[in-house]
Amino acid sequence: MGDNKEKPKTCVKCFHVAEEKDKYCVRCGTPLVNLCTKEDSPNHKGCQAKNRPDAAFCAKCGSPTVYGEMGLTN
């Protein structure tokens, strides 16, 4: 109990189980976290929020997500 360990990240494309420190899948190169694609610009401070693996659009700002742009969401 009281275990604060994150569960292992699994690649949404090839289902490889990644190591805790990995940011990208070592087998296929897919990002292991579905981030918002809204970047910092003069008109927007950027978002880069973490989203659920099935999110095609950011729950925080509505911009496309990385997985959405890669066609990895249904």
Side-chain angles (χ1 to χ4, degrees), residues 31-65:
L32 296 171
V33 178
N34 190 16
L35 296 176
C36 174
T37 58
K38 187 76 168 184
E39 293 183 5
D40 193 20
S41 71
N43 297 325
H44 192 278
K45 67 176 189 163
C47 184
Q48 293 293 303
K50 291 181 182 179
N51 287 275
R52 298 181 344 208
D54 64 341
F57 296 91
C58 181
K60 184 175 177 184
C61 75
S63 294
T65 63

Side-chain angles (χ1 to χ4, degrees), residues 11 14 16-19 21-22 24-30 32:
C11 177
C14 74
H16 173 73
V17 177
E19 292 185 15
K21 64 178 175 31
D22 294 346
Y24 295 87
C25 178
V26 297
R27 291 216 175 132
C28 70
T30 298
L32 296 171

